[in-house]
Amino acid sequence: MSLCSNVFSKTMTRLTIGIAMSSALLLTACDDHNMQTSTTMKATADLSVFEGCYTVSSDEPAQIKVSQQGDAWIMQMKEAASAKRVWDDPEALEVIENSEIPKFFSIDPDNVDAVLGRPDRVLVLAHVKPAYANIDPLLDSEYLSYIYRGANTIYRVECDDVNTDILANPHANIIIDNVNVDAHASS
């Protein structure tokens, strides 16, 4: 019986090892498939979230326009009031990998679902996932911009075809009244 028991034990050991290895290979294959799906999903980010116009303050007219021409994405800046056209010549935009986000923004790349930028990286736009934008008290917009070494939120606004004097001094019409010192002293 010990010979039978020994053969049975070896067979069971081989069977157990075979099942364990098959399971490991199956799990590895599933994990590789999930990694490929994740990479594919990031590579095919929904860039349509960028189509539209943007400004640096939600109550200002549009200053940047992002649109799609064929398979390519472009941006245009609004021209000054003295120009004979509203928007300047289109500049190409390209998809930027999420791994590059820390170069431009101080946000966890997992909270960003799409990034576009000029090839020279003078302008980079990021779309923050709406769920994250809703809980981060520092964000009041789903859109971030990096413009020549500075990052900030930008606001999506209605596109218009009206020239504005974007070069004008925004502080030119501010009137500061004198403070009545006597009124503060008596309180």
Side-chain angles (χ1 to χ4, degrees):
M1 288 227 182
S2 89
L3 179 63
C4 216
S5 161
N6 194 14
V7 169
F8 179 74
S9 175
K10 286 182 179 179
T11 304
M12 288 305 292
T13 302
R14 288 182 182 151
L15 183 61
T16 304
I17 290 172
I19 291 171
M21 288 180 67
S22 296
S23 296
L25 289 172
L26 180 63
L27 289 174
T28 302
C30 288
D31 191 40
D32 285 347
H33 175 70
N34 286 341
M35 285 174 50
Q36 289 173 353
T37 302
S38 175
T39 303
T40 302
M41 286 175 58
K42 285 191 180 192
T44 59
D46 180 13
L47 300 176
S48 68
V49 296
F50 290 115
E51 192 151 11
C53 291
Y54 301 89
T55 187
V56 294
S57 174
S58 60
D59 60 349
E60 291 183 18
Q63 296 173 350
I64 299 172
K65 181 195 263 185
V66 176
S67 57
Q68 190 173 12
Q69 283 186 346
D71 293 337
W73 286 91
I74 59 159
M75 63 146 301
Q76 293 173 278
M77 298 289 294
K78 192 168 263 190
E79 292 277 17
S82 60
K84 303 274 188 230
R85 59 187 181 170
V86 177
W87 299 100
D88 70 358
D89 294 332
E91 294 280 341
L93 295 174
E94 60 187 23
V95 175
I96 296 176
E97 295 295 321
N98 276 23
S99 61
E100 290 190 53
I101 290 173
K103 293 178 185 176
F104 309 105
F105 306 107
S106 58
I107 188 170
D108 184 339
D110 290 338
N111 296 320
V112 176
D113 57 11
V115 185
L116 276 177
R118 285 179 32 159
D120 62 7
R121 303 301 192 254
V122 169
L123 173 75
V124 176
L125 301 172
H127 182 258
V128 178
K129 293 177 182 176
Y132 183 76
N134 287 337
I135 62 168
D136 187 330
L138 299 176
L139 293 177
D140 58 352
S141 171
E142 293 176 15
Y143 297 93
L144 299 175
S145 71
Y146 170 88
I147 301 174
Y148 192 68
R149 300 185 186 176
N152 209 338
T153 54
I154 57 172
Y155 304 89
R156 192 168 180 175
V157 295
E158 291 294 321
C159 291
D160 62 63
D161 288 326
V162 178
N163 284 84
T164 56
D165 197 355
I166 59 175
L167 301 176
N169 181 355
H171 305 288
N173 296 324
I174 294 177
I175 299 171
I176 300 174
D177 290 333
N178 290 330
V179 177
N180 186 346
V181 178
D182 295 330
H184 290 293
S186 64
S187 54

